[in-house]
Amino acid sequence: MKKPLKITLIVLSSILGLLLIALLLVSPIAKSYIEKHDKELIGRELTIDKLRVNLLGGKVVIKELTLFEDDGITPFVQFNHFETKIRLRDLLSHRLYIKKVLFSGLKVNVEQDRTWFNFNSLIVHFHSDEPKPKKEESSDFGLIFNDVTIEKSLIRYEDLSIGSDSLLRNISLHIPYIDLSNLKSQVGLDLILADSAKLHTDLHLSDNAEEYFINLKINNLGLDIIEPYLQQSLAVDSLQGRMDFALSAEGRTEHILDFDLTGDIALRDLSLQDTCGH
């Protein structure tokens, strides 16, 4: 073998070896960097059990992530498994095509006390006082999401000012397709409200989002979840009962409140008592 060719092969082999080592080490290095600089990056403490990054395949997998409150102890957002896959070759054509997004075991804890929310510090951290530059030309960069799924998840919301506590359980969200360059999308949401109410929604947007169609269906919703809000402004002691509805709305996004609404609403076992027990 001629010497120049031999040297070339050695150099190429060394570069490929270094690239392979970099690909193998990118996951632990990224995990260590994120956990070490979490407050600098997002303003709060964060822990990750496992992080796997495949640069060649455009795949990222995160297991057991917890983002804490400002106290560094109370969990704010948690999930068991996150996975996404990006089609990297589309970046050459000015598009970001996200082939898959999966959240499993997502838990979100939201608290409110009048104008205060437990995520205010996150907003402040990412807020910039510098004026945004004016856009002279619109960007032709496209962003497409395909197969977005949230499963086995829950959201807890507590209004501290009135003592209201709501829990959305067994949240299941599936978005088959969203193209943000023309806003065409299909979105389906399923979740359990309070203890036993089931909510199902379907949203369809046409090309360029000119027309929309929404299906809303809820079964066995307990009216007691709005009781604390009625007690703020009315002489109400208790509210009991159940509500079912199945509604469909069709309209144009140009005049979003001008739509055709059809469906049925039913109230069952209604009981409303005033503060005197009547």
Side-chain angles (χ1 to χ4, degrees), residues 47-50 62-66 78-82:
T47 61
I48 300 173
D49 182 43
K50 292 182 181 178
I62 301 175
K63 291 185 179 292
E64 305 295 341
L65 180 144
T66 300
Q78 298 173 286
F79 57 77
N80 299 332
H81 183 92
F82 168 78

Side-chain angles (χ1 to χ4, degrees), residues 58 115 198 227 256 269:
T115 59
K198 295 181 179 179
E227 184 180 286
I256 195 167
D269 304 321

Side-chain angles (χ1 to χ4, degrees), residues 87-88 93 234:
R87 206 160 65 186
L88 296 176
S93 56
L234 300 174

Side-chain angles (χ1 to χ4, degrees), residues 4 9 13 22 26 76 79 83-85 89 110 180 185 193 197 225 242 259-261 273:
L9 290 175
S13 299
V26 67
F76 172 57
F79 57 77
E83 182 177 334
T84 186
K85 193 170 184 180
R89 67 174 181 269
V110 179
L180 295 181
S185 65
L193 293 162
I225 65 171
R242 296 283 171 178
F259 57 84
D260 293 323
L261 180 68
Q273 291 190 349

Side-chain angles (χ1 to χ4, degrees), residues 25-44:
L25 291 179
V26 67
S27 296
I29 289 175
K31 177 180 180 297
S32 176
Y33 182 85
I34 291 172
E35 291 186 326
K36 187 176 180 180
H37 299 274
D38 49 6
K39 285 216 163 187
E40 178 186 342
L41 294 170
I42 57 177
R44 289 190 179 182

Side-chain angles (χ1 to χ4, degrees), residues 25 57 59 62-63 85 91 111 116 126 128 143 155 170 174 192 204 207 235 237 239 244 246-247 256:
L25 291 179
K59 185 175 181 180
I62 301 175
K63 291 185 179 292
K85 193 170 184 180
L91 292 173
E111 293 182 356
W116 173 87
F126 290 103
S128 175
L143 180 59
I155 298 175
N170 293 359
H174 184 224
I192 293 179
H204 297 269
D207 292 341
D237 178 64
L239 173 65
D244 307 315
L247 302 173
I256 195 167

Side-chain angles (χ1 to χ4, degrees), residues 148 150-151 153 155 168-176 186-193 198-203 215-218:
V148 179
I150 297 177
E151 60 182 19
S153 302
I155 298 175
L168 310 181
R169 297 187 297 110
N170 293 359
I171 297 174
S172 173
L173 171 66
H174 184 224
I175 304 174
Q186 300 175 20
V187 180
L189 171 66
D190 292 282
L191 56 85
I192 293 179
L193 293 162
K198 295 181 179 179
L199 171 67
H200 172 76
T201 70
D202 282 315
L203 168 64
N215 255 330
L216 296 172
K217 186 175 182 179
I218 194 165

Side-chain angles (χ1 to χ4, degrees), residues 45-60:
E45 292 187 18
L46 177 147
T47 61
I48 300 173
D49 182 43
K50 292 182 181 178
L51 171 62
R52 295 200 300 269
V53 180
N54 184 337
L55 293 179
L56 296 179
K59 185 175 181 180
V60 178

